[in-house]
Amino acid sequence: QGGVIRGSQFIPTDPKNKDHQKYLAWLAGGGSPDAVQEPTLADARTNANAEIDRQADRERAVHLPAVTSQGAVDFLRWEEAERADADGSITAGEYPMLEAEIPAKGADVAAVATAVIAERAALVTPLAAIEAVRVTARAAIAAAADLTAVRAVVVGLTWPA
């Protein structure tokens, strides 16, 4: 549904909307809307970069745990798995997050660490592909000569499947 912005208010194009009726009366009484102001190239770049980052966040969210308490647990598990993998002698109680996973993932901390590291490694490829699209798009925006080129970058984004 379309509409107009008058002042800081969005007025939807809806014949039943009282604000829309007032707007039409204002136009009929000789009111003239301001011309659309194109953003500066610098503002367009800033807005486009913010949009690219929003889209990249949305794409990454498909692969990463939410930044919730469970997401924090996952990051702790990954950190413990890296330490346990590098540790030659694992002492009981040293890796509580991994020990909690033993019933589901392995016979001991070393087996759980291996499984957790494999899970995390599987995330690297899609996340790197998303980051490549994001960084390439931001570079194209920085090099864009005009507003049309900036818009073309955002419209032309293709995120990895």
Side-chain angles (χ1 to χ4, degrees), residues 83-141:
R83 284 190 300 119
D85 190 53
D87 191 356
S89 61
I90 295 173
T91 305
E94 193 173 1
Y95 302 101
M97 301 305 291
L98 298 181
E99 289 173 15
E101 298 278 334
I102 289 173
K105 288 198 165 110
D108 58 23
V109 169
V112 172
T114 300
V116 169
I117 288 169
E119 289 170 6
R120 190 182 67 186
L123 295 174
V124 172
T125 299
L127 293 175
I130 291 165
E131 187 63 4
V133 170
R134 189 187 77 81
V135 169
T136 301
R138 288 177 66 97
I141 286 168

Side-chain angles (χ1 to χ4, degrees), residues 33-144:
D34 294 336
V36 174
Q37 297 292 317
E38 287 286 347
T40 65
L41 183 55
D43 286 345
R45 285 179 173 146
T46 298
N47 294 339
N49 283 330
E51 176 59 22
I52 287 166
D53 289 347
R54 276 191 297 279
Q55 289 184 28
D57 280 344
R58 200 169 41 247
E59 294 295 320
R60 283 189 291 258
V62 171
H63 303 283
L64 289 174
V67 182
T68 62
S69 57
Q70 184 59 51
V73 168
D74 289 339
F75 285 110
L76 290 171
R77 284 179 35 244
W78 296 342
E79 187 274 331
E80 279 191 6
E82 286 294 322
R83 284 190 300 119
D85 190 53
D87 191 356
S89 61
I90 295 173
T91 305
E94 193 173 1
Y95 302 101
M97 301 305 291
L98 298 181
E99 289 173 15
E101 298 278 334
I102 289 173
K105 288 198 165 110
D108 58 23
V109 169
V112 172
T114 300
V116 169
I117 288 169
E119 289 170 6
R120 190 182 67 186
L123 295 174
V124 172
T125 299
L127 293 175
I130 291 165
E131 187 63 4
V133 170
R134 189 187 77 81
V135 169
T136 301
R138 288 177 66 97
I141 286 168

